[in-house]
Amino acid sequence: MTIAKGRALVTGGAGFIGSHLCDRLLADGYNVLCVDNYYSSTKDNIAHLLENPHFEVLRHDVTFPLYVEVDEIYHLACPASPIHYQRDPVQTTKTAVHGSINMLGLAKRTGAKILTTSTSEVYGDPQVHPQTEDYWGNVNPIGSRACYDEGKRAAETLFFDYHRQHNLKIKVVRLFNTYGPRMHPNDGRVVSNFVVSALTGKPITIYGEGQQTRSFCYVDDLIDGLIAMMNSGDEVTGPINLGNPGEFTIAELAAEVILQTGVDPGIEYLPLPQDDPTRRQPDITRAKQTLGWEPTIELKAGLAKTIEYFRGVLAR
Ligand code: UDP
């Protein structure tokens, strides 16, 4: 019998990133408890794990308290794509805030280390480029992205106050655009939208003129970063940016998708959504120095794996 390394809770464990994290923790010898309410995730992402005796899944909404015994908490649960988090904005803020309070309460009672996935959205439409962790951001507090941006900012506040007030072992990372297999085909994200459009022969929808930039991190690199953060010393609280500094315009991404899929379905230009950040690129100096982490998978290579995944999904 293998001796487990410990009990890890992954909230949002059936999501795109959460399911990859469950895979990795199981491979590393953890007992994994996956908690999800399937609001923006799918059971398909974890179907391959259900027979694993070290894996357990619980349908639960983190806005309600959770009583379990664990050693480490990876708190990911929150809809993260604009179309998902804007569908029920009040619930998004509740998920970010009440969800964090509940998971921090759980960490306080059990003494577990707790890591949360915050977001580059805390920087809003940034006036500092690339974004360093000490930049306080430029967020519209009443716009359509605020439920997520301000919800996540409040969540960070809660993490640091629980740390200062109750000595909790906290880890806060800020994720920049992440992509890869198991992204939801309909979640409206730019990578999944462009790939699915090309593979189904529908025009690629560019919002605005496509000159806004994003920096895309392949999911395997991100998972390495999450694990490195959890395993860092207790003095490392973050916030730490996790992302790939390779910066591309949305038009460049469209061109790369057309090239790699071998399909040019044409481009449809649509209005830019409200408060859409014009530029985004992580400064990852802190992650490199503190965690010895940096991404290794370039957009071309990651996109090839993502296209292969979506070809499989669409063929089903
Ligand atoms: N975008 C686009 N076409 C799409 C989906 C998104 O041009 O079909 C743009 C969007 O306006 C934004 C960028 O791509 O500037 C990234 O959008 P996404 O929703 O993936 O993530 P965000 O970084 O905005 O949260």
Side-chain angles (χ1 to χ4, degrees):
M1 201 171 88
T2 48
I3 311 253
K5 255 191 185 171
R7 299 158 299 181
L9 166 64
V10 181
T11 74
F16 156 51
I17 295 174
S19 63
H20 286 280
L21 181 59
C22 289
D23 285 345
R24 171 66 180 269
L25 289 167
L26 287 164
D28 286 354
Y30 281 85
N31 278 310
V32 174
L33 173 59
C34 162
V35 160
D36 211 296
N37 69 350
Y38 306 111
Y39 180 77
S40 56
S41 57
T42 154
K43 289 179 191 162
D44 292 347
N45 287 341
I46 49 165
H48 63 290
L49 299 176
L50 295 177
E51 298 301 314
N52 186 325
H54 297 285
F55 182 73
E56 196 181 344
V57 60
L58 183 65
R59 177 192 279 269
H60 176 81
D61 183 327
V62 292
T63 60
F64 296 96
L66 177 66
Y67 292 90
V68 292
E69 306 310 315
V70 289
D71 306 302
E72 295 179 6
I73 302 171
Y74 289 86
H75 179 42
L76 277 60
C78 192
S81 120
I83 61 162
H84 284 146
Y85 70 64
Q86 290 171 10
R87 186 182 300 152
D88 187 351
V90 172
Q91 191 61 26
T92 298
T93 303
K94 280 189 192 169
T95 301
V97 174
H98 295 192
S100 293
I101 291 172
N102 288 330
M103 293 310 112
L104 286 160
L106 176 63
K108 185 171 163 224
R109 181 180 61 78
T110 57
K113 267 197 278 191
I114 181 165
L115 176 151
T116 194
T117 47
S118 186
T119 168
S120 54
E121 290 282 329
V122 300
Y123 302 122
D125 190 4
Q127 289 167 332
V128 166
H129 193 80
Q131 291 79 57
T132 49
E133 291 86 348
D134 51 15
Y135 174 51
W136 291 351
N138 177 36
V139 172
N140 173 0
I142 58 166
S144 52
R145 294 176 89 102
C147 57
Y148 184 71
D149 300 10
E150 298 289 16
K152 288 288 193 172
R153 287 167 68 96
E156 288 199 10
T157 307
L158 284 161
F159 269 73
F160 279 87
D161 280 334
Y162 267 80
H163 172 65
R164 284 185 287 256
Q165 198 176 333
H166 299 300
N167 281 319
L168 252 63
K169 295 172 194 155
I170 62 152
K171 310 270 176 198
V172 176
V173 285
R174 294 179 177 155
L175 311 192
F176 284 65
N177 297 64
T178 306
Y179 71 100
R182 300 191 199 145
M183 291 185 93
H184 199 292
N186 300 323
D187 79 354
R189 296 294 195 141
V190 68
V191 172
S192 44
N193 268 10
F194 285 8
V195 172
V196 171
S197 292
L199 294 179
T200 54
K202 300 201 181 93
I204 289 183
T205 51
I206 291 189
Y207 303 158
E209 290 170 10
Q211 291 312 300
Q212 70 272 39
T213 68
R214 293 293 186 273
S215 305
F216 300 100
C217 185
Y218 189 68
V219 64
D220 290 358
D221 278 334
L222 181 81
I223 299 298
D224 288 342
L226 295 180
I227 300 286
M229 183 64 171
M230 184 61 101
N231 292 333
S232 61
D234 288 347
E235 73 289 355
V236 180
T237 58
I240 293 188
N241 290 337
L242 293 181
N244 189 324
E247 185 186 9
F248 297 86
T249 65
I250 295 308
E252 285 170 334
L253 177 70
E256 186 61 31
V257 169
I258 289 169
L259 184 75
Q260 288 207 21
T261 55
V263 184
D264 186 351
I267 289 180
E268 185 182 359
Y269 290 91
L270 295 174
L272 200 60
Q274 187 196 20
D275 296 332
D276 198 282
T278 35
R279 298 184 76 183
R280 186 183 288 156
Q281 183 191 32
D283 181 313
I284 60 163
T285 310
R286 202 181 275 186
K288 280 189 198 162
Q289 287 174 350
T290 316
L291 308 176
W293 175 86
E294 66 181 304
T296 58
I297 301 164
E298 290 188 3
L299 183 64
K300 271 183 197 303
L303 208 49
K305 293 182 201 220
T306 308
I307 290 169
E308 191 185 313
Y309 168 77
F310 278 115
R311 275 193 209 283
V313 169
L314 295 170
R316 268 185 224 151

